PDB file of all heavy atoms in Angstrom:
ATOM      1  N   LEU J 352      -0.584   5.990   2.733  1.00 98.00           N
ATOM      2  CA  LEU J 352      -1.958   5.837   2.264  1.00 98.00           C
ATOM      3  C   LEU J 352      -2.810   6.811   2.987  1.00 98.00           C
ATOM      4  O   LEU J 352      -3.760   7.400   2.374  1.00 98.00           O
ATOM      5  CB  LEU J 352      -2.356   4.319   2.859  1.00 98.00           C
ATOM      6  CG  LEU J 352      -1.836   3.197   2.171  1.00 98.00           C
ATOM      7  CD1 LEU J 352      -2.496   1.903   2.668  1.00 98.00           C
ATOM      8  CD2 LEU J 352      -1.761   3.235   0.699  1.00 98.00           C
ATOM      9  N   LEU J 353      -2.593   7.021   4.252  1.00 98.00           N
ATOM     10  CA  LEU J 353      -3.459   7.991   4.921  1.00 98.00           C
ATOM     11  C   LEU J 353      -3.299   9.451   4.381  1.00 98.00           C
ATOM     12  O   LEU J 353      -4.233  10.177   4.247  1.00 98.00           O
ATOM     13  CB  LEU J 353      -3.030   7.982   6.495  1.00 98.00           C
ATOM     14  CG  LEU J 353      -3.822   9.000   7.383  1.00 98.00           C
ATOM     15  CD1 LEU J 353      -5.369   8.818   7.212  1.00 98.00           C
ATOM     16  CD2 LEU J 353      -3.471   8.657   8.845  1.00 98.00           C
ATOM     17  N   ALA J 354      -2.049   9.906   4.152  1.00 98.00           N
ATOM     18  CA  ALA J 354      -1.795  11.185   3.452  1.00 98.00           C
ATOM     19  C   ALA J 354      -2.534  11.310   2.158  1.00 98.00           C
ATOM     20  O   ALA J 354      -3.136  12.385   1.848  1.00 98.00           O
ATOM     21  CB  ALA J 354      -0.309  11.419   3.337  1.00 98.00           C
ATOM     22  N   LEU J 355      -2.429  10.161   1.392  1.00 98.00           N
ATOM     23  CA  LEU J 355      -3.182  10.247   0.037  1.00 98.00           C
ATOM     24  C   LEU J 355      -4.679  10.364   0.196  1.00 98.00           C
ATOM     25  O   LEU J 355      -5.373  11.033  -0.566  1.00 98.00           O
ATOM     26  CB  LEU J 355      -2.764   9.016  -0.803  1.00 98.00           C
ATOM     27  CG  LEU J 355      -1.355   9.032  -1.408  1.00 98.00           C
ATOM     28  CD1 LEU J 355      -0.951   7.655  -1.878  1.00 98.00           C
ATOM     29  CD2 LEU J 355      -1.366   9.979  -2.515  1.00 98.00           C
ATOM     30  N   TYR J 356      -5.190   9.620   1.158  1.00 98.00           N
ATOM     31  CA  TYR J 356      -6.629   9.719   1.466  1.00 98.00           C
ATOM     32  C   TYR J 356      -7.028  11.119   1.893  1.00 98.00           C
ATOM     33  O   TYR J 356      -7.953  11.695   1.289  1.00 98.00           O
ATOM     34  CB  TYR J 356      -7.090   8.699   2.492  1.00 98.00           C
ATOM     35  CG  TYR J 356      -8.546   9.026   2.886  1.00 98.00           C
ATOM     36  CD1 TYR J 356      -9.591   8.686   2.050  1.00 98.00           C
ATOM     37  CD2 TYR J 356      -8.837   9.715   4.078  1.00 98.00           C
ATOM     38  CE1 TYR J 356     -10.909   9.033   2.388  1.00 98.00           C
ATOM     39  CE2 TYR J 356     -10.100  10.059   4.456  1.00 98.00           C
ATOM     40  CZ  TYR J 356     -11.165   9.649   3.483  1.00 98.00           C
ATOM     41  OH  TYR J 356     -12.456  10.031   3.845  1.00 98.00           O
ATOM     42  N   LEU J 357      -6.304  11.716   2.784  1.00 98.00           N
ATOM     43  CA  LEU J 357      -6.586  13.018   3.199  1.00 98.00           C
ATOM     44  C   LEU J 357      -6.510  14.155   2.087  1.00 98.00           C
ATOM     45  O   LEU J 357      -7.315  15.066   1.988  1.00 98.00           O
ATOM     46  CB  LEU J 357      -5.786  13.401   4.430  1.00 98.00           C
ATOM     47  CG  LEU J 357      -5.979  12.593   5.664  1.00 98.00           C
ATOM     48  CD1 LEU J 357      -4.914  13.006   6.739  1.00 98.00           C
ATOM     49  CD2 LEU J 357      -7.323  12.937   6.273  1.00 98.00           C
ATOM     50  N   LEU J 358      -5.505  13.876   1.212  1.00 98.00           N
ATOM     51  CA  LEU J 358      -5.325  14.715   0.105  1.00 98.00           C
ATOM     52  C   LEU J 358      -6.553  14.720  -0.901  1.00 98.00           C
ATOM     53  O   LEU J 358      -7.096  15.650  -1.283  1.00 98.00           O
ATOM     54  CB  LEU J 358      -4.058  14.375  -0.621  1.00 98.00           C
ATOM     55  CG  LEU J 358      -3.807  15.131  -1.946  1.00 98.00           C
ATOM     56  CD1 LEU J 358      -3.552  16.649  -1.702  1.00 98.00           C
ATOM     57  CD2 LEU J 358      -2.616  14.568  -2.649  1.00 98.00           C
ATOM     58  N   ILE J 359      -6.803  13.396  -1.302  1.00 98.00           N
ATOM     59  CA  ILE J 359      -7.871  13.304  -2.285  1.00 98.00           C
ATOM     60  C   ILE J 359      -9.242  13.705  -1.686  1.00 98.00           C
ATOM     61  O   ILE J 359     -10.093  14.268  -2.332  1.00 98.00           O
ATOM     62  CB  ILE J 359      -7.924  11.884  -2.925  1.00 98.00           C
ATOM     63  CG1 ILE J 359      -6.494  11.706  -3.547  1.00 98.00           C
ATOM     64  CG2 ILE J 359      -9.001  11.584  -3.758  1.00 98.00           C
ATOM     65  CD1 ILE J 359      -6.063  10.297  -3.840  1.00 98.00           C
ATOM     66  N   ASP J 360      -9.512  13.299  -0.413  1.00 98.00           N
ATOM     67  CA  ASP J 360     -10.748  13.757   0.189  1.00 98.00           C
ATOM     68  C   ASP J 360     -10.809  15.277   0.267  1.00 98.00           C
ATOM     69  O   ASP J 360     -11.994  15.788   0.038  1.00 98.00           O
ATOM     70  CB  ASP J 360     -10.753  13.111   1.617  1.00 98.00           C
ATOM     71  CG  ASP J 360     -11.922  13.505   2.405  1.00 98.00           C
ATOM     72  OD1 ASP J 360     -13.087  13.254   1.991  1.00 98.00           O
ATOM     73  OD2 ASP J 360     -11.790  14.284   3.459  1.00 98.00           O
ATOM     74  N   SER J 361      -9.716  15.875   0.460  1.00 98.00           N
ATOM     75  CA  SER J 361      -9.820  17.423   0.551  1.00 98.00           C
ATOM     76  C   SER J 361     -10.120  17.978  -0.814  1.00 98.00           C
ATOM     77  O   SER J 361     -10.665  19.090  -0.917  1.00 98.00           O
ATOM     78  CB  SER J 361      -8.490  17.978   1.175  1.00 98.00           C
ATOM     79  OG  SER J 361      -7.418  17.782   0.242  1.00 98.00           O
ATOM     80  N   VAL J 362      -9.671  17.372  -1.923  1.00 98.00           N
ATOM     81  CA  VAL J 362     -10.000  17.821  -3.237  1.00 98.00           C
ATOM     82  C   VAL J 362     -11.467  17.967  -3.452  1.00 98.00           C
ATOM     83  O   VAL J 362     -11.985  18.882  -4.134  1.00 98.00           O
ATOM     84  CB  VAL J 362      -9.340  16.956  -4.366  1.00 98.00           C
ATOM     85  CG1 VAL J 362      -9.713  17.471  -5.749  1.00 98.00           C
ATOM     86  CG2 VAL J 362      -7.841  17.060  -4.235  1.00 98.00           C
ATOM     87  N   GLN J 363     -12.287  16.921  -2.909  1.00 97.00           N
ATOM     88  CA  GLN J 363     -13.737  16.905  -3.053  1.00 97.00           C
ATOM     89  C   GLN J 363     -14.367  17.745  -1.935  1.00 97.00           C
ATOM     90  O   GLN J 363     -15.548  17.700  -1.761  1.00 97.00           O
ATOM     91  CB  GLN J 363     -14.186  15.494  -2.982  1.00 97.00           C
ATOM     92  CG  GLN J 363     -14.057  14.766  -1.746  1.00 97.00           C
ATOM     93  CD  GLN J 363     -14.774  13.407  -1.734  1.00 97.00           C
ATOM     94  OE1 GLN J 363     -15.568  13.188  -2.599  1.00 97.00           O
ATOM     95  NE2 GLN J 363     -14.495  12.617  -0.636  1.00 97.00           N
ATOM     96  N   GLY J 364     -13.587  18.398  -1.108  1.00 97.00           N
ATOM     97  CA  GLY J 364     -14.148  19.353  -0.095  1.00 97.00           C
ATOM     98  C   GLY J 364     -14.413  18.598   1.295  1.00 97.00           C
ATOM     99  O   GLY J 364     -15.031  19.206   2.070  1.00 97.00           O
ATOM    100  N   GLY J 365     -13.854  17.446   1.400  1.00 97.00           N
ATOM    101  CA  GLY J 365     -14.066  16.606   2.652  1.00 97.00           C
ATOM    102  C   GLY J 365     -13.138  17.120   3.686  1.00 97.00           C
ATOM    103  O   GLY J 365     -12.160  17.940   3.491  1.00 97.00           O
ATOM    104  N   HIS J 366     -13.344  16.657   4.939  1.00 97.00           N
ATOM    105  CA  HIS J 366     -12.600  16.997   6.102  1.00 97.00           C
ATOM    106  C   HIS J 366     -12.034  15.804   6.808  1.00 97.00           C
ATOM    107  O   HIS J 366     -11.698  15.960   7.969  1.00 97.00           O
ATOM    108  CB  HIS J 366     -13.487  17.889   7.072  1.00 97.00           C
ATOM    109  CG  HIS J 366     -14.036  19.163   6.486  1.00 97.00           C
ATOM    110  ND1 HIS J 366     -15.151  19.218   5.784  1.00 97.00           N
ATOM    111  CD2 HIS J 366     -13.373  20.343   6.501  1.00 97.00           C
ATOM    112  CE1 HIS J 366     -15.302  20.602   5.389  1.00 97.00           C
ATOM    113  NE2 HIS J 366     -14.366  21.179   5.856  1.00 97.00           N
ATOM    114  N   GLY J 367     -11.802  14.747   6.140  1.00 97.00           N
ATOM    115  CA  GLY J 367     -11.176  13.649   6.627  1.00 97.00           C
ATOM    116  C   GLY J 367     -11.885  12.852   7.783  1.00 97.00           C
ATOM    117  O   GLY J 367     -11.282  12.103   8.511  1.00 97.00           O
ATOM    118  N   GLU J 368     -13.231  13.008   7.856  1.00 97.00           N
ATOM    119  CA  GLU J 368     -13.949  12.401   8.924  1.00 97.00           C
ATOM    120  C   GLU J 368     -13.841  10.849   9.015  1.00 97.00           C
ATOM    121  O   GLU J 368     -13.719  10.239  10.063  1.00 97.00           O
ATOM    122  CB  GLU J 368     -15.397  12.779   8.815  1.00 97.00           C
ATOM    123  CG  GLU J 368     -15.772  14.247   8.871  1.00 97.00           C
ATOM    124  CD  GLU J 368     -15.763  14.954   7.675  1.00 97.00           C
ATOM    125  OE1 GLU J 368     -15.259  14.361   6.624  1.00 97.00           O
ATOM    126  OE2 GLU J 368     -16.343  16.101   7.640  1.00 97.00           O
ATOM    127  N   LYS J 369     -13.728  10.223   7.849  1.00 97.00           N
ATOM    128  CA  LYS J 369     -13.708   8.750   7.888  1.00 97.00           C
ATOM    129  C   LYS J 369     -12.270   8.223   8.289  1.00 97.00           C
ATOM    130  O   LYS J 369     -12.203   7.034   8.546  1.00 97.00           O
ATOM    131  CB  LYS J 369     -14.044   8.281   6.442  1.00 97.00           C
ATOM    132  CG  LYS J 369     -15.558   8.488   6.088  1.00 97.00           C
ATOM    133  CD  LYS J 369     -15.795   8.043   4.725  1.00 97.00           C
ATOM    134  CE  LYS J 369     -17.318   8.282   4.344  1.00 97.00           C
ATOM    135  NZ  LYS J 369     -17.681   7.946   3.025  1.00 97.00           N
ATOM    136  N   ALA J 370     -11.347   9.125   8.421  1.00 98.00           N
ATOM    137  CA  ALA J 370     -10.088   8.640   8.915  1.00 98.00           C
ATOM    138  C   ALA J 370      -9.828   9.025  10.295  1.00 98.00           C
ATOM    139  O   ALA J 370      -8.830   8.607  10.953  1.00 98.00           O
ATOM    140  CB  ALA J 370      -8.907   9.342   8.016  1.00 98.00           C
ATOM    141  N   ALA J 371     -10.733   9.736  10.910  1.00 97.00           N
ATOM    142  CA  ALA J 371     -10.511  10.313  12.243  1.00 97.00           C
ATOM    143  C   ALA J 371     -10.111   9.207  13.280  1.00 97.00           C
ATOM    144  O   ALA J 371      -9.466   9.426  14.218  1.00 97.00           O
ATOM    145  CB  ALA J 371     -11.660  11.191  12.712  1.00 97.00           C
ATOM    146  N   ALA J 372     -10.906   8.084  13.189  1.00 98.00           N
ATOM    147  CA  ALA J 372     -10.737   7.022  14.264  1.00 98.00           C
ATOM    148  C   ALA J 372      -9.588   6.023  13.963  1.00 98.00           C
ATOM    149  O   ALA J 372      -9.424   5.161  14.694  1.00 98.00           O
ATOM    150  CB  ALA J 372     -12.009   6.258  14.317  1.00 98.00           C
ATOM    151  N   LEU J 373      -8.854   6.215  12.895  1.00 98.00           N
ATOM    152  CA  LEU J 373      -7.752   5.325  12.543  1.00 98.00           C
ATOM    153  C   LEU J 373      -6.781   5.049  13.671  1.00 98.00           C
ATOM    154  O   LEU J 373      -6.313   4.028  13.806  1.00 98.00           O
ATOM    155  CB  LEU J 373      -7.179   5.689  11.169  1.00 98.00           C
ATOM    156  CG  LEU J 373      -8.069   5.394   9.983  1.00 98.00           C
ATOM    157  CD1 LEU J 373      -7.526   5.860   8.739  1.00 98.00           C
ATOM    158  CD2 LEU J 373      -8.426   3.918   9.780  1.00 98.00           C
ATOM    159  N   PRO J 374      -6.207   6.231  14.238  1.00 98.00           N
ATOM    160  CA  PRO J 374      -5.243   5.990  15.318  1.00 98.00           C
ATOM    161  C   PRO J 374      -5.717   4.991  16.291  1.00 98.00           C
ATOM    162  O   PRO J 374      -5.040   3.981  16.754  1.00 98.00           O
ATOM    163  CB  PRO J 374      -4.945   7.325  15.870  1.00 98.00           C
ATOM    164  CG  PRO J 374      -5.234   8.214  14.728  1.00 98.00           C
ATOM    165  CD  PRO J 374      -6.446   7.532  14.072  1.00 98.00           C
ATOM    166  N   GLU J 375      -7.014   5.248  16.816  1.00 98.00           N
ATOM    167  CA  GLU J 375      -7.514   4.331  17.793  1.00 98.00           C
ATOM    168  C   GLU J 375      -7.747   2.854  17.392  1.00 98.00           C
ATOM    169  O   GLU J 375      -7.550   1.939  17.929  1.00 98.00           O
ATOM    170  CB  GLU J 375      -8.854   4.868  18.359  1.00 98.00           C
ATOM    171  CG  GLU J 375      -9.513   4.120  19.457  1.00 98.00           C
ATOM    172  CD  GLU J 375     -10.933   4.729  19.836  1.00 98.00           C
ATOM    173  OE1 GLU J 375     -11.123   5.833  19.490  1.00 98.00           O
ATOM    174  OE2 GLU J 375     -11.667   3.937  20.517  1.00 98.00           O
ATOM    175  N   LEU J 376      -8.293   2.815  16.110  1.00 98.00           N
ATOM    176  CA  LEU J 376      -8.661   1.438  15.496  1.00 98.00           C
ATOM    177  C   LEU J 376      -7.313   0.661  15.230  1.00 98.00           C
ATOM    178  O   LEU J 376      -7.251  -0.578  15.399  1.00 98.00           O
ATOM    179  CB  LEU J 376      -9.418   1.588  14.226  1.00 98.00           C
ATOM    180  CG  LEU J 376     -10.842   2.264  14.426  1.00 98.00           C
ATOM    181  CD1 LEU J 376     -11.491   2.402  13.094  1.00 98.00           C
ATOM    182  CD2 LEU J 376     -11.700   1.315  15.326  1.00 98.00           C
TER     183      LEU J 376
END
Side-chain angles (χ1 to χ4, degrees):
L352 296 188
L353 179 51
L355 284 165
Y356 170 74
L357 293 173
L358 174 65
I359 293 162
D360 178 62
S361 69
V362 175
Q363 65 170 351
H366 297 88
E368 296 92 344
K369 292 178 179 177
L373 286 175
E375 178 183 348
L376 293 176

